[in-house]
Amino acid sequence: MNQIKRVAIVGGSHGNELTGAYLVKKFQKYPNLINRTSFETLAILGNPKAIVAGRRYIDTDLNRCFTGDNLQTAAITSNYEELRAKEILQILQPKNQEFVDAIIDLHTTTANMGLCIILSDMHPILLNLAANLTAINPLVKVYIHQQPKNSGFLRSLSKLGFAIEVGAVAQGILDAQLFQQTEQLIYHVLNYFEECNQDKLTLVNNTLTFYKSIGMVDYPRNEDGEIQAMIHPQLQFRDYQPLHPGDPIFLTFEDKDILYEGESTVYPIFINEAAYYEKGIAMYLSQKDIIHIGIRFDY
């Protein structure tokens, strides 16, 4: 396989998700923590202005700005995040250099996602990485939300791009345990890339259980777009747990149950994520699956 030469760790793309922001600050202060012999590691603050302001974003969601239209246009804009996306692109691919080989995008969520790896692509290197991480820490969950390149998400810029999403943690605060667990996952990922380069990979786990996105569900709303129901108490905090046809999914303000009307069992994730209210997303639905993997692949 080709060598992995440059890896980017990006934190604080959302300014009120402090785990990634402070991990990047730590890595910038102590670069020896992320240095490896066979590749260069960059530590990048995604959205500095939003971090200072303590807000998710200034003008728009930075993690939706990495589109081909925005990155390739020369049009002048006053939108801070659109400008910042272009600046980050220049960091990831300086003039006369190749694009970074891998992106580790750090996020937190108010949903009960635990330690989650989000893959935009079912690349064999990423699948084997996910299997290794779940073998090292069985609490790690793997969510596959396939995205085409330049779809808006930072991780979609690289075929070895992925996110580490941890929670539940409230916006604007640090949780020491989740901070440490995220940090350890990053070190495992960097060690894995080092082993890839040195051709020392071993098959830690030849199966991988994952959750693959099949769609999303919005809150019930009236004709004015106002929410008419809440996540049902029986569903709250039950990310990755089966939701069967006929199970309660929402509760109206008049205490009436709204039942899930799907035809098959699904596995909700990102349940009641605070940042998704504005996006019209109450939860994502996924299918649970298991695949067999190996360690022979090409990059």
mmCIF file of all heavy atoms in Angstrom, residues 39-78:
data_model
loop_
_atom_site.group_PDB
_atom_site.id
_atom_site.type_symbol
_atom_site.label_atom_id
_atom_site.label_comp_id
_atom_site.label_asym_id
_atom_site.label_seq_id
_atom_site.Cartn_x
_atom_site.Cartn_y
_atom_site.Cartn_z
ATOM 1 N N PHE A 39 4.969 9.621 9.530
ATOM 2 C CA PHE A 39 4.101 10.615 8.909
ATOM 3 C C PHE A 39 4.036 11.872 9.762
ATOM 4 O O PHE A 39 4.370 11.866 10.946
ATOM 5 C CB PHE A 39 2.680 10.068 8.663
ATOM 6 C CG PHE A 39 1.961 9.603 9.902
ATOM 7 C CD1 PHE A 39 1.252 10.487 10.709
ATOM 8 C CD2 PHE A 39 1.974 8.262 10.263
ATOM 9 C CE1 PHE A 39 0.576 10.052 11.844
ATOM 10 C CE2 PHE A 39 1.308 7.812 11.393
ATOM 11 C CZ PHE A 39 0.607 8.709 12.194
ATOM 12 N N GLU A 40 3.602 12.955 9.125
ATOM 13 C CA GLU A 40 3.422 14.239 9.798
ATOM 14 C C GLU A 40 1.986 14.350 10.309
ATOM 15 O O GLU A 40 1.042 13.948 9.621
ATOM 16 C CB GLU A 40 3.707 15.380 8.820
ATOM 17 C CG GLU A 40 3.487 16.775 9.386
ATOM 18 C CD GLU A 40 3.601 17.867 8.329
ATOM 19 O OE1 GLU A 40 3.752 17.522 7.133
ATOM 20 O OE2 GLU A 40 3.528 19.054 8.704
ATOM 21 N N THR A 41 1.816 14.886 11.499
ATOM 22 C CA THR A 41 0.480 15.081 12.063
ATOM 23 C C THR A 41 0.230 16.562 12.294
ATOM 24 O O THR A 41 1.018 17.235 12.966
ATOM 25 C CB THR A 41 0.311 14.321 13.384
ATOM 26 O OG1 THR A 41 0.679 12.957 13.209
ATOM 27 C CG2 THR A 41 -1.140 14.388 13.854
ATOM 28 N N LEU A 42 -0.866 17.066 11.741
ATOM 29 C CA LEU A 42 -1.270 18.446 11.922
ATOM 30 C C LEU A 42 -2.374 18.528 12.972
ATOM 31 O O LEU A 42 -3.275 17.687 12.983
ATOM 32 C CB LEU A 42 -1.788 19.031 10.607
ATOM 33 C CG LEU A 42 -0.933 18.843 9.354
ATOM 34 C CD1 LEU A 42 -1.676 19.376 8.140
ATOM 35 C CD2 LEU A 42 0.399 19.545 9.516
ATOM 36 N N ALA A 43 -2.337 19.525 13.833
ATOM 37 C CA ALA A 43 -3.391 19.774 14.812
ATOM 38 C C ALA A 43 -4.002 21.133 14.480
ATOM 39 O O ALA A 43 -3.329 22.167 14.564
ATOM 40 C CB ALA A 43 -2.839 19.760 16.230
ATOM 41 N N ILE A 44 -5.284 21.137 14.107
ATOM 42 C CA ILE A 44 -5.921 22.323 13.552
ATOM 43 C C ILE A 44 -7.171 22.676 14.351
ATOM 44 O O ILE A 44 -8.046 21.825 14.569
ATOM 45 C CB ILE A 44 -6.313 22.093 12.081
ATOM 46 C CG1 ILE A 44 -5.094 21.660 11.258
ATOM 47 C CG2 ILE A 44 -6.968 23.330 11.487
ATOM 48 C CD1 ILE A 44 -5.461 21.117 9.885
ATOM 49 N N LEU A 45 -7.279 23.951 14.765
ATOM 50 C CA LEU A 45 -8.518 24.458 15.349
ATOM 51 C C LEU A 45 -9.471 24.814 14.222
ATOM 52 O O LEU A 45 -9.151 25.648 13.370
ATOM 53 C CB LEU A 45 -8.249 25.687 16.211
ATOM 54 C CG LEU A 45 -7.733 25.449 17.628
ATOM 55 C CD1 LEU A 45 -7.492 26.792 18.322
ATOM 56 C CD2 LEU A 45 -8.697 24.609 18.439
ATOM 57 N N GLY A 46 -10.634 24.193 14.223
ATOM 58 C CA GLY A 46 -11.541 24.380 13.099
ATOM 59 C C GLY A 46 -12.166 25.758 13.018
ATOM 60 O O GLY A 46 -12.142 26.395 11.975
ATOM 61 N N ASN A 47 -12.735 26.226 14.109
ATOM 62 C CA ASN A 47 -13.540 27.452 14.078
ATOM 63 C C ASN A 47 -13.142 28.369 15.234
ATOM 64 O O ASN A 47 -13.876 28.494 16.216
ATOM 65 C CB ASN A 47 -15.026 27.089 14.165
ATOM 66 C CG ASN A 47 -15.932 28.195 13.683
ATOM 67 O OD1 ASN A 47 -15.596 29.371 13.792
ATOM 68 N ND2 ASN A 47 -17.089 27.832 13.152
ATOM 69 N N PRO A 48 -11.990 29.030 15.130
ATOM 70 C CA PRO A 48 -11.482 29.825 16.261
ATOM 71 C C PRO A 48 -12.447 30.896 16.762
ATOM 72 O O PRO A 48 -12.591 31.083 17.975
ATOM 73 C CB PRO A 48 -10.204 30.454 15.691
ATOM 74 C CG PRO A 48 -9.782 29.527 14.593
ATOM 75 C CD PRO A 48 -11.046 29.013 14.002
ATOM 76 N N LYS A 49 -13.114 31.609 15.852
ATOM 77 C CA LYS A 49 -14.030 32.664 16.304
ATOM 78 C C LYS A 49 -15.198 32.093 17.094
ATOM 79 O O LYS A 49 -15.621 32.679 18.107
ATOM 80 C CB LYS A 49 -14.534 33.470 15.097
ATOM 81 C CG LYS A 49 -13.541 34.463 14.544
ATOM 82 C CD LYS A 49 -14.211 35.378 13.520
ATOM 83 C CE LYS A 49 -13.246 36.430 12.995
ATOM 84 N NZ LYS A 49 -13.898 37.343 12.017
ATOM 85 N N ALA A 50 -15.744 30.986 16.650
ATOM 86 C CA ALA A 50 -16.873 30.381 17.355
ATOM 87 C C ALA A 50 -16.444 29.826 18.705
ATOM 88 O O ALA A 50 -17.217 29.852 19.677
ATOM 89 C CB ALA A 50 -17.497 29.279 16.502
ATOM 90 N N ILE A 51 -15.207 29.331 18.787
ATOM 91 C CA ILE A 51 -14.693 28.839 20.072
ATOM 92 C C ILE A 51 -14.627 29.990 21.074
ATOM 93 O O ILE A 51 -15.068 29.869 22.231
ATOM 94 C CB ILE A 51 -13.305 28.194 19.887
ATOM 95 C CG1 ILE A 51 -13.422 26.906 19.058
ATOM 96 C CG2 ILE A 51 -12.664 27.879 21.237
ATOM 97 C CD1 ILE A 51 -12.090 26.344 18.600
ATOM 98 N N VAL A 52 -14.090 31.126 20.646
ATOM 99 C CA VAL A 52 -14.004 32.297 21.527
ATOM 100 C C VAL A 52 -15.398 32.769 21.929
ATOM 101 O O VAL A 52 -15.641 33.129 23.095
ATOM 102 C CB VAL A 52 -13.231 33.439 20.828
ATOM 103 C CG1 VAL A 52 -13.313 34.723 21.648
ATOM 104 C CG2 VAL A 52 -11.776 33.037 20.617
ATOM 105 N N ALA A 53 -16.335 32.729 20.986
ATOM 106 C CA ALA A 53 -17.695 33.193 21.261
ATOM 107 C C ALA A 53 -18.514 32.177 22.058
ATOM 108 O O ALA A 53 -19.576 32.518 22.589
ATOM 109 C CB ALA A 53 -18.406 33.507 19.949
ATOM 110 N N GLY A 54 -18.030 30.930 22.139
ATOM 111 C CA GLY A 54 -18.784 29.889 22.836
ATOM 112 C C GLY A 54 -20.045 29.487 22.105
ATOM 113 O O GLY A 54 -21.028 29.077 22.723
ATOM 114 N N ARG A 55 -20.016 29.591 20.786
ATOM 115 C CA ARG A 55 -21.176 29.263 19.959
ATOM 116 C C ARG A 55 -20.827 28.155 18.980
ATOM 117 O O ARG A 55 -19.666 27.946 18.655
ATOM 118 C CB ARG A 55 -21.628 30.504 19.182
ATOM 119 C CG ARG A 55 -22.119 31.634 20.046
ATOM 120 C CD ARG A 55 -22.147 32.956 19.305
ATOM 121 N NE ARG A 55 -22.844 32.872 18.018
ATOM 122 C CZ ARG A 55 -22.930 33.897 17.166
ATOM 123 N NH1 ARG A 55 -22.356 35.054 17.464
ATOM 124 N NH2 ARG A 55 -23.576 33.753 16.024
ATOM 125 N N ARG A 56 -21.850 27.470 18.482
ATOM 126 C CA ARG A 56 -21.618 26.409 17.499
ATOM 127 C C ARG A 56 -20.980 26.994 16.241
ATOM 128 O O ARG A 56 -20.072 26.396 15.667
ATOM 129 C CB ARG A 56 -22.935 25.718 17.165
ATOM 130 C CG ARG A 56 -22.805 24.550 16.152
ATOM 131 C CD ARG A 56 -24.139 23.841 16.007
ATOM 132 N NE ARG A 56 -24.126 22.800 14.999
ATOM 133 C CZ ARG A 56 -23.736 21.540 15.195
ATOM 134 N NH1 ARG A 56 -23.302 21.190 16.383
ATOM 135 N NH2 ARG A 56 -23.791 20.639 14.223
ATOM 136 N N TYR A 57 -21.454 28.136 15.813
ATOM 137 C CA TYR A 57 -20.897 28.797 14.646
ATOM 138 C C TYR A 57 -21.192 30.286 14.719
ATOM 139 O O TYR A 57 -21.981 30.744 15.562
ATOM 140 C CB TYR A 57 -21.449 28.199 13.345
ATOM 141 C CG TYR A 57 -22.958 28.147 13.246
ATOM 142 C CD1 TYR A 57 -23.697 29.291 12.942
ATOM 143 C CD2 TYR A 57 -23.652 26.961 13.443
ATOM 144 C CE1 TYR A 57 -25.078 29.253 12.844
ATOM 145 C CE2 TYR A 57 -25.037 26.912 13.351
ATOM 146 C CZ TYR A 57 -25.742 28.055 13.047
ATOM 147 O OH TYR A 57 -27.105 28.008 12.953
ATOM 148 N N ILE A 58 -20.555 31.060 13.835
ATOM 149 C CA ILE A 58 -20.790 32.494 13.755
ATOM 150 C C ILE A 58 -21.895 32.796 12.749
ATOM 151 O O ILE A 58 -22.884 33.452 13.071
ATOM 152 C CB ILE A 58 -19.499 33.238 13.357
ATOM 153 C CG1 ILE A 58 -18.391 32.975 14.389
ATOM 154 C CG2 ILE A 58 -19.767 34.740 13.214
ATOM 155 C CD1 ILE A 58 -18.716 33.425 15.796
ATOM 156 N N ASP A 59 -21.736 32.313 11.520
ATOM 157 C CA ASP A 59 -22.727 32.568 10.470
ATOM 158 C C ASP A 59 -23.459 31.317 10.011
ATOM 159 O O ASP A 59 -24.657 31.366 9.711
ATOM 160 C CB ASP A 59 -22.050 33.227 9.253
ATOM 161 C CG ASP A 59 -21.527 34.617 9.565
ATOM 162 O OD1 ASP A 59 -22.260 35.397 10.203
ATOM 163 O OD2 ASP A 59 -20.378 34.924 9.183
ATOM 164 N N THR A 60 -22.760 30.214 9.905
ATOM 165 C CA THR A 60 -23.372 28.973 9.433
ATOM 166 C C THR A 60 -22.526 27.797 9.895
ATOM 167 O O THR A 60 -21.385 27.965 10.334
ATOM 168 C CB THR A 60 -23.503 28.984 7.891
ATOM 169 O OG1 THR A 60 -24.353 27.918 7.476
ATOM 170 C CG2 THR A 60 -22.149 28.831 7.219
ATOM 171 N N ASP A 61 -23.068 26.607 9.816
ATOM 172 C CA ASP A 61 -22.386 25.405 10.296
ATOM 173 C C ASP A 61 -21.145 25.122 9.439
ATOM 174 O O ASP A 61 -21.265 24.805 8.253
ATOM 175 C CB ASP A 61 -23.355 24.221 10.250
ATOM 176 C CG ASP A 61 -22.832 22.986 10.957
ATOM 177 O OD1 ASP A 61 -21.600 22.840 11.090
ATOM 178 O OD2 ASP A 61 -23.660 22.159 11.376
ATOM 179 N N LEU A 62 -19.956 25.246 10.050
ATOM 180 C CA LEU A 62 -18.717 25.014 9.307
ATOM 181 C C LEU A 62 -18.670 23.616 8.724
ATOM 182 O O LEU A 62 -18.156 23.406 7.618
ATOM 183 C CB LEU A 62 -17.506 25.247 10.222
ATOM 184 C CG LEU A 62 -16.132 24.938 9.631
ATOM 185 C CD1 LEU A 62 -15.841 25.827 8.425
ATOM 186 C CD2 LEU A 62 -15.035 25.109 10.686
ATOM 187 N N ASN A 63 -19.216 22.638 9.442
ATOM 188 C CA ASN A 63 -19.139 21.257 8.978
ATOM 189 C C ASN A 63 -20.174 20.934 7.905
ATOM 190 O O ASN A 63 -20.489 19.773 7.661
ATOM 191 C CB ASN A 63 -19.302 20.277 10.154
ATOM 192 C CG ASN A 63 -18.673 18.933 9.857
ATOM 193 O OD1 ASN A 63 -17.685 18.834 9.131
ATOM 194 N ND2 ASN A 63 -19.242 17.871 10.424
ATOM 195 N N ARG A 64 -20.705 21.978 7.277
ATOM 196 C CA ARG A 64 -21.518 21.813 6.069
ATOM 197 C C ARG A 64 -20.968 22.695 4.945
ATOM 198 O O ARG A 64 -21.601 22.804 3.885
ATOM 199 C CB ARG A 64 -22.987 22.177 6.338
ATOM 200 C CG ARG A 64 -23.654 21.399 7.476
ATOM 201 C CD ARG A 64 -23.721 19.917 7.221
ATOM 202 N NE ARG A 64 -24.485 19.226 8.259
ATOM 203 C CZ ARG A 64 -23.979 18.788 9.405
ATOM 204 N NH1 ARG A 64 -22.680 18.985 9.672
ATOM 205 N NH2 ARG A 64 -24.732 18.167 10.289
ATOM 206 N N CYS A 65 -19.821 23.324 5.179
ATOM 207 C CA CYS A 65 -19.264 24.292 4.226
ATOM 208 C C CYS A 65 -18.215 23.711 3.296
ATOM 209 O O CYS A 65 -17.714 24.418 2.418
ATOM 210 C CB CYS A 65 -18.648 25.480 4.984
ATOM 211 S SG CYS A 65 -19.861 26.551 5.772
ATOM 212 N N PHE A 66 -17.875 22.426 3.473
ATOM 213 C CA PHE A 66 -16.813 21.831 2.644
ATOM 214 C C PHE A 66 -17.414 21.202 1.392
ATOM 215 O O PHE A 66 -17.262 20.010 1.126
ATOM 216 C CB PHE A 66 -16.016 20.817 3.469
ATOM 217 C CG PHE A 66 -15.283 21.443 4.615
ATOM 218 C CD1 PHE A 66 -15.854 21.480 5.882
ATOM 219 C CD2 PHE A 66 -14.042 22.028 4.433
ATOM 220 C CE1 PHE A 66 -15.195 22.072 6.937
ATOM 221 C CE2 PHE A 66 -13.374 22.638 5.479
ATOM 222 C CZ PHE A 66 -13.946 22.658 6.739
ATOM 223 N N THR A 67 -18.113 22.043 0.639
ATOM 224 C CA THR A 67 -18.732 21.609 -0.610
ATOM 225 C C THR A 67 -17.863 22.043 -1.773
ATOM 226 O O THR A 67 -17.096 23.008 -1.677
ATOM 227 C CB THR A 67 -20.131 22.217 -0.773
ATOM 228 O OG1 THR A 67 -20.011 23.645 -0.850
ATOM 229 C CG2 THR A 67 -21.031 21.853 0.394
ATOM 230 N N GLY A 68 -18.027 21.346 -2.889
ATOM 231 C CA GLY A 68 -17.281 21.734 -4.070
ATOM 232 C C GLY A 68 -17.590 23.149 -4.497
ATOM 233 O O GLY A 68 -16.696 23.920 -4.866
ATOM 234 N N ASP A 69 -18.870 23.528 -4.421
ATOM 235 C CA ASP A 69 -19.268 24.871 -4.847
ATOM 236 C C ASP A 69 -18.577 25.940 -4.005
ATOM 237 O O ASP A 69 -18.089 26.948 -4.542
ATOM 238 C CB ASP A 69 -20.783 25.032 -4.744
ATOM 239 C CG ASP A 69 -21.524 24.239 -5.806
ATOM 240 O OD1 ASP A 69 -20.881 23.831 -6.791
ATOM 241 O OD2 ASP A 69 -22.735 24.016 -5.637
ATOM 242 N N ASN A 70 -18.535 25.747 -2.698
ATOM 243 C CA ASN A 70 -17.931 26.764 -1.835
ATOM 244 C C ASN A 70 -16.412 26.776 -1.958
ATOM 245 O O ASN A 70 -15.791 27.840 -2.033
ATOM 246 C CB ASN A 70 -18.321 26.535 -0.379
ATOM 247 C CG ASN A 70 -17.673 27.555 0.547
ATOM 248 O OD1 ASN A 70 -17.817 28.758 0.362
ATOM 249 N ND2 ASN A 70 -16.928 27.073 1.536
ATOM 250 N N LEU A 71 -15.803 25.600 -1.979
ATOM 251 C CA LEU A 71 -14.344 25.532 -1.965
ATOM 252 C C LEU A 71 -13.721 25.960 -3.292
ATOM 253 O O LEU A 71 -12.584 26.428 -3.321
ATOM 254 C CB LEU A 71 -13.897 24.112 -1.610
ATOM 255 C CG LEU A 71 -14.297 23.620 -0.216
ATOM 256 C CD1 LEU A 71 -13.859 22.180 -0.029
ATOM 257 C CD2 LEU A 71 -13.723 24.499 0.881
ATOM 258 N N GLN A 72 -14.457 25.810 -4.372
ATOM 259 C CA GLN A 72 -13.895 26.090 -5.690
ATOM 260 C C GLN A 72 -14.245 27.476 -6.222
ATOM 261 O O GLN A 72 -13.619 27.963 -7.156
ATOM 262 C CB GLN A 72 -14.366 25.026 -6.684
ATOM 263 C CG GLN A 72 -13.850 23.633 -6.363
ATOM 264 C CD GLN A 72 -14.528 22.553 -7.173
ATOM 265 O OE1 GLN A 72 -15.224 22.843 -8.145
ATOM 266 N NE2 GLN A 72 -14.355 21.300 -6.777
ATOM 267 N N THR A 73 -15.239 28.122 -5.628
ATOM 268 C CA THR A 73 -15.644 29.427 -6.123
ATOM 269 C C THR A 73 -14.689 30.520 -5.638
ATOM 270 O O THR A 73 -14.160 30.448 -4.529
ATOM 271 C CB THR A 73 -17.078 29.770 -5.675
ATOM 272 O OG1 THR A 73 -17.440 31.046 -6.211
ATOM 273 C CG2 THR A 73 -17.172 29.861 -4.155
ATOM 274 N N ALA A 74 -14.504 31.500 -6.486
ATOM 275 C CA ALA A 74 -13.669 32.649 -6.125
ATOM 276 C C ALA A 74 -14.519 33.830 -5.681
ATOM 277 O O ALA A 74 -13.998 34.916 -5.424
ATOM 278 C CB ALA A 74 -12.801 33.055 -7.312
ATOM 279 N N ALA A 75 -15.827 33.606 -5.580
ATOM 280 C CA ALA A 75 -16.737 34.687 -5.203
ATOM 281 C C ALA A 75 -16.418 35.196 -3.803
ATOM 282 O O ALA A 75 -16.091 34.423 -2.895
ATOM 283 C CB ALA A 75 -18.179 34.198 -5.273
ATOM 284 N N ILE A 76 -16.524 36.487 -3.619
ATOM 285 C CA ILE A 76 -16.270 37.108 -2.321
ATOM 286 C C ILE A 76 -17.485 36.902 -1.423
ATOM 287 O O ILE A 76 -18.633 37.089 -1.845
ATOM 288 C CB ILE A 76 -15.976 38.609 -2.486
ATOM 289 C CG1 ILE A 76 -14.719 38.814 -3.324
ATOM 290 C CG2 ILE A 76 -15.821 39.283 -1.126
ATOM 291 C CD1 ILE A 76 -14.414 40.253 -3.640
ATOM 292 N N THR A 77 -17.256 36.504 -0.184
ATOM 293 C CA THR A 77 -18.332 36.291 0.772
ATOM 294 C C THR A 77 -17.937 36.865 2.122
ATOM 295 O O THR A 77 -16.755 36.899 2.463
ATOM 296 C CB THR A 77 -18.656 34.790 0.919
ATOM 297 O OG1 THR A 77 -19.667 34.618 1.916
ATOM 298 C CG2 THR A 77 -17.425 34.001 1.322
ATOM 299 N N SER A 78 -18.936 37.288 2.863
ATOM 300 C CA SER A 78 -18.694 37.773 4.221
ATOM 301 C C SER A 78 -19.005 36.704 5.253
ATOM 302 O O SER A 78 -18.861 36.939 6.461
ATOM 303 C CB SER A 78 -19.548 39.020 4.498
ATOM 304 O OG SER A 78 -20.937 38.702 4.368
#
